Amino acid sequence: MSSLDLLLATTAVGGLATFNIHSGFNEALLRGYRLGFLSDQEYHHIQQCENLEDVKLNLQETDYGNFLQNETKISPSTVREKCLDKLVSEFEYLRANADQPLAQFLDFITYDYMIDNVMLILKATLSNPNVTVSSLIEQAHPLGRFKASTLKSIVAFENSPNGYSELYQSVLIDTPIGKYFHEVIKESLSESSANGNSGVTNFLKEMPTTKLENLLRKLYLEDFYYFCKGLGGETGDVMCQLLMTRADSMAISITLNSFGTPLNDPTRRHSDRKQLYPSIGLLYPEGIENLSLVGDEIELGGVLRGYPSYFSVFEKHQYGDKSIDDSFYEREAMLNELAFEGQFNYAAFYAFVRLKEQEIRNLVW
């Protein structure tokens, strides 16, 4: 190892010299939390259950303990809610004990769920003007909670295009994900001005919520990627790999789901559809350029043939063995498990949350 490599190994995040000083306690907690994942044997016992009461009894023997003891009536939604409460409690304890830059890293994890929560509210209110936002707040993911004052402002906004405009300009812009909304709106308004239209209200009327969600997620992944890359060390190496894989799966899913929709029109593939692809990942830039030109699954398979790991996922989808989303979930879970194999890095914190989310989905299913 050269002197430069030694210097980088001992000063970057994940370096041997200072990691335990700043983040050793949190990593020890995380390793303890990891022991609470359900084992294969525990999954087997739960699969043999005939009703939810049996599930409750079996979960009492696991790390979940008596988390359902005060529930008189159990449903899959109750199980999900209580499992998420446990996850949030553990995550918030990690966050409360975190120094910088780990604290900022953990905050980045929550931004993903903040986007989900805002889009939940926007989609529901646009499709049903009579829906009450307060009822939607109860469905929101607890890891993406906003401050109490922000929640009150969201609940109070008028369910109309003008109300959405005020929501963006006076509420969302001041949240941690406000910068992503700002970038999307700025880009959209510059295009609208060129066509003779302007204003946030027109933007909200014209942009589909699915497109807005994809653009926000793209900006989030890119922002998180460059933050992790700046941290350097093993954190940068492992996290960049995880985020690039997620960005690639997003680009492939967008392409596949666009078939049979206006986005697959030859005049819109290279403009509107390509705009949704993240500018990071193993596919970027050559693969992304090729994805923006494909018009059907055969052409998509031809592009992915140059990326064996993704082509194997696509083949499972083509043969009907698994949906492409399920295949990508499996691949992501495998990479997240590998993130625990290293030490002195932040990637395991991200992997823990993602794997715990998958465990909760398994239980609810």
Side-chain angles (χ1 to χ4, degrees):
M1 179 182 289
S2 67
S3 58
L4 177 59
D5 291 336
L6 180 60
L7 177 63
L8 290 174
T10 55
T11 57
V13 169
L16 302 176
T18 60
F19 185 88
N20 280 339
I21 297 174
H22 299 289
S23 304
F25 175 68
N26 274 27
E27 187 183 30
L29 280 175
L30 185 72
R31 299 287 172 176
Y33 290 157
R34 186 197 181 192
L35 297 176
F37 281 116
L38 295 177
S39 65
D40 291 341
Q41 184 178 10
E42 288 166 342
Y43 269 123
H44 177 72
H45 290 160
I46 292 172
Q47 287 176 333
Q48 306 306 311
C49 294
E50 297 182 355
N51 53 58
L52 288 173
E53 282 297 328
D54 291 344
V55 173
K56 176 181 176 180
L57 291 174
N58 274 277
L59 286 176
Q60 287 179 355
E61 304 300 321
T62 70
D63 190 62
Y64 285 99
N66 296 320
F67 76 124
L68 293 172
Q69 64 180 351
N70 296 324
E71 301 298 322
T72 55
K73 187 176 180 181
I74 304 175
S75 66
S77 60
T78 305
V79 173
R80 178 181 182 273
E81 178 187 351
K82 295 303 179 182
C83 288
L84 283 176
D85 286 345
K86 183 177 183 299
L87 169 60
V88 170
S89 175
E90 293 171 347
F91 182 86
E92 289 181 343
Y93 189 69
L94 289 171
R95 176 62 181 83
N97 287 282
D99 291 338
Q100 294 293 356
L102 175 59
Q104 181 62 47
F105 180 89
L106 295 177
D107 287 342
F108 261 106
I109 295 175
T110 66
Y111 298 167
D112 201 6
Y113 302 101
M114 288 183 183
I115 293 173
D116 286 339
N117 290 346
V118 171
M119 294 312 303
L120 168 70
I121 295 170
L122 291 179
K123 287 178 180 178
T125 52
L126 284 170
S127 61
N128 180 13
N130 298 319
V131 70
T132 58
V133 182
S134 56
S135 66
L136 296 175
I137 296 298
E138 297 176 1
Q139 302 175 35
H141 197 290
L143 270 181
R145 288 173 182 153
F146 294 99
K147 295 179 182 178
S149 58
T150 302
L151 283 178
K152 290 179 181 178
S153 299
I154 293 175
V155 171
F157 81 88
E158 179 186 354
N159 192 352
S160 68
N162 288 331
Y164 295 129
S165 176
E166 294 175 4
L167 176 67
Y168 279 99
Q169 293 173 322
S170 62
V171 179
L172 293 179
I173 201 65
D174 291 327
T175 65
I177 60 173
K179 54 187 177 181
Y180 308 134
F181 279 99
H182 175 73
E183 286 299 316
V184 173
I185 293 173
K186 183 175 71 172
E187 180 66 25
S188 298
L189 292 186
S190 65
E191 295 177 2
S192 298
S193 298
N195 297 325
N197 299 319
S198 62
V200 177
T201 301
N202 287 330
F203 155 77
L204 291 167
K205 286 180 179 178
E206 297 169 3
M207 176 169 284
T209 52
T210 304
K211 180 179 179 181
L212 174 60
E213 183 174 9
N214 284 328
L215 288 172
L216 293 173
R217 193 82 61 195
K218 163 193 170 180
L219 291 170
Y220 160 72
L221 289 175
E222 291 172 354
D223 193 24
F224 198 7
Y225 172 85
Y226 287 112
F227 172 79
C228 293
K229 191 173 183 180
L231 293 178
E234 190 171 350
T235 295
D237 293 340
V238 179
M239 276 305 303
C240 285
Q241 179 67 34
L242 289 171
L243 294 173
M244 285 194 299
T245 302
R246 190 172 168 193
D248 289 339
S249 66
M250 177 180 171
I252 294 169
S253 295
I254 288 173
T255 305
L256 187 61
N257 293 331
S258 73
F259 298 151
T261 72
L263 274 181
N264 196 40
D265 187 282
T267 61
R268 298 183 61 183
R269 293 174 192 166
H270 200 266
S271 55
D272 293 357
R273 191 171 73 188
K274 186 180 179 182
Q275 183 187 21
L276 304 178
Y277 298 150
S279 299
I280 58 172
L282 298 175
L283 293 174
Y284 182 80
E286 181 181 358
I288 291 297
E289 181 66 27
N290 292 332
L291 283 183
S292 69
L293 302 175
V294 303
D296 54 42
E297 290 197 15
I298 295 176
E299 293 179 356
L300 175 58
V303 172
L304 296 181
R305 193 175 293 275
Y307 304 88
S309 58
Y310 297 144
F311 186 66
S312 64
V313 169
F314 182 69
E315 280 190 312
K316 293 177 183 178
H317 159 74
Q318 280 192 311
Y319 296 145
D321 297 338
K322 290 179 182 175
S323 72
I324 199 160
D325 289 335
D326 287 343
S327 297
F328 275 127
Y329 273 136
E330 282 188 2
R331 177 172 171 77
E332 183 186 6
M334 178 191 70
L335 293 174
N336 284 326
E337 288 175 1
L338 292 175
F340 280 96
E341 297 303 313
Q343 287 184 298
F344 310 117
N345 74 87
Y346 296 163
F349 293 91
Y350 173 84
F352 169 74
V353 174
R354 299 291 290 181
L355 288 172
K356 207 66 177 176
E357 281 273 13
Q358 184 60 54
E359 180 177 271
I360 294 171
R361 282 194 291 268
N362 293 343
L363 280 175
V364 173
W365 181 81

